[in-house]
Amino acid sequence: MSKADIECISVDGLVWRCQACAQTRRKSMRFDSEMTEGKLTLEDVMKKVTEIFENQKQAEKNVNTSYEALSDKLEDNTKAVKEQTASLEKCLRMIDELAAENRSLREKVSSLEMRIDDLEQYSRVNSVEIHGIPQQKNEDVVAVVKEVGKALDLEITDSMIDNCHRLGRRPGPNSPQPGIVVKFVRRLDKEELLRKRRVKSNFSTRHMNLSMDQPIYINEALSQARRRLLAAARQVKKEKSFKYLWVRGGKIFLRKEEKAPVFQVTCQADLDRF
């Protein structure tokens, strides 16, 4: 139908029916008219009853067919939901297994990292780092270390030193002077140097008869991982008002105050507790 036909029907208030519905409507109207006028015969009534019965039978058949189709569809959907549920449970089990495996691998990696760090730190057990001494052109680093020992009343000989060199300079115009790494042949010599440094307060370059006066620091040489851990411990010491932070034998320790318990810092988790 065109738009004009639809507008015409709407304006006139007419009713449009398809051909099948119109034919059924005409039969019904004719039957109603004949019944009103008293022209119906028993045969007409029986035909109408039979027609209604057939229509009802067909409607029931259609309903049953639809119900069976719906039942089949519902069964298919139920089966699909069960399959999806089983697949989801399988995925969840797999996720749990992967999560457990991931935790196990992380623990192993952490354990291996600690073992590697222990080995790396053990390789530095006889080493110290000296910071604060200005670097001179064409300097003799061994001679500088001997002067440090002399200023601390400790004679350091060539036979006591296994290796000695300056650290690399950090980038930047305001970077501090590179420190000196000294590896002693014996651990006892290293410990004695640290002990002498602890005894001598305000140790600086003036004790080495240098023109400037700036502090000289002598610390145990630490692995890269423990350097980072020590830096994090310094931050905790500052933020949480800890009074003491020190390194002894490659191990890092914290203490809140004079009579408080001592905490050994072995990893970041130890610092996170604070």
Side-chain angles (χ1 to χ4, degrees):
M1 298 178 68
S2 66
K3 182 178 180 181
D5 293 335
I6 295 174
E7 291 177 351
C8 181
I9 291 175
S10 300
V11 170
D12 295 340
L14 302 177
V15 177
W16 179 88
R17 294 182 178 86
C18 66
Q19 184 176 358
C21 292
Q23 184 177 1
T24 302
R25 177 61 178 166
R26 286 194 294 271
K27 287 183 180 179
S28 177
M29 291 179 65
R30 185 170 62 251
F31 184 83
D32 292 343
S33 176
E34 290 177 352
M35 182 178 64
T36 302
E37 295 173 359
K39 297 180 180 179
L40 287 176
T41 62
L42 181 59
E43 183 180 358
D44 293 332
V45 173
M46 292 303 298
K47 284 183 178 180
K48 191 62 177 178
V49 170
T50 301
E51 182 181 346
I52 294 173
F53 176 76
E54 291 296 331
N55 290 338
Q56 181 67 23
K57 186 176 180 181
Q58 183 63 39
E60 291 179 356
K61 183 179 179 181
N62 293 339
V63 169
N64 290 335
T65 302
S66 299
Y67 178 79
E68 290 175 358
L70 182 61
S71 178
D72 292 340
K73 189 67 175 177
L74 182 60
E75 185 177 350
D76 293 340
N77 288 340
T78 302
K79 182 179 179 181
V81 169
K82 288 181 178 180
E83 292 176 353
Q84 291 176 356
T85 302
S87 178
L88 179 60
E89 290 177 351
K90 182 179 179 181
C91 290
L92 291 175
R93 287 195 300 270
M94 186 180 299
I95 290 173
D96 291 339
E97 292 173 357
L98 290 174
E101 183 180 0
N102 185 48
R103 286 193 298 270
S104 177
L105 289 175
R106 290 176 62 183
E107 291 174 357
K108 290 180 179 178
V109 169
S110 178
S111 176
L112 289 173
E113 287 178 344
M114 292 183 66
R115 290 176 61 184
I116 292 173
D117 181 57
D118 288 340
L119 291 173
E120 187 176 347
Q121 185 59 44
Y122 185 76
S123 68
R124 291 170 167 80
V125 70
N126 294 348
S127 302
V128 296
E129 293 183 8
I130 304 174
H131 294 272
I133 301 176
Q135 185 175 12
Q136 304 296 329
K137 187 176 182 181
N138 299 322
E139 68 179 356
D140 184 350
V141 181
V142 175
V144 174
V145 173
K146 289 180 179 180
E147 287 297 322
V148 171
K150 183 178 179 181
L152 293 174
D153 299 324
L154 175 66
E155 182 182 2
I156 299 177
T157 62
D158 292 338
S159 61
M160 295 168 60
I161 300 175
D162 180 43
N163 192 13
C164 181
H165 62 87
R166 282 272 184 181
L167 293 169
R169 179 182 289 274
R170 297 178 182 177
N174 298 323
S175 61
Q177 290 284 336
I180 299 173
V181 175
V182 184
K183 184 177 182 181
F184 289 93
V185 176
R186 299 193 314 159
R187 183 176 180 181
L188 292 176
D189 295 329
K190 166 219 167 181
E191 296 292 346
E192 182 63 14
L193 178 63
L194 291 173
R195 188 188 69 81
K196 290 282 189 178
R197 173 61 185 89
R198 287 192 292 268
V199 171
K200 195 175 188 67
S201 60
N202 301 321
F203 183 48
S204 70
T205 52
R206 62 185 173 85
H207 294 101
M208 298 176 60
N209 298 321
L210 298 178
S211 58
M212 73 288 296
D213 185 10
Q214 61 186 40
I216 296 177
Y217 303 97
I218 304 177
N219 302 306
E220 295 187 32
L222 298 178
S223 64
Q224 291 295 328
R226 298 199 187 188
R227 286 175 185 271
R228 292 192 295 268
L229 190 60
L230 180 60
R234 287 197 182 100
Q235 188 67 24
V236 170
K237 176 179 180 289
K238 179 180 178 181
E239 294 176 353
K240 304 301 180 180
S241 300
F242 276 74
K243 191 173 182 180
Y244 303 102
L245 170 65
W246 71 97
V247 178
R248 185 68 57 83
K251 299 176 182 178
I252 303 170
F253 299 94
L254 270 172
R255 174 183 271 179
K256 186 75 174 180
E257 53 192 18
E258 185 67 35
K259 296 183 180 180
V262 176
F263 296 99
Q264 181 180 347
V265 181
T266 60
C267 60
Q268 183 63 43
D270 293 336
L271 296 175
D272 294 339
R273 293 184 305 171
F274 303 115

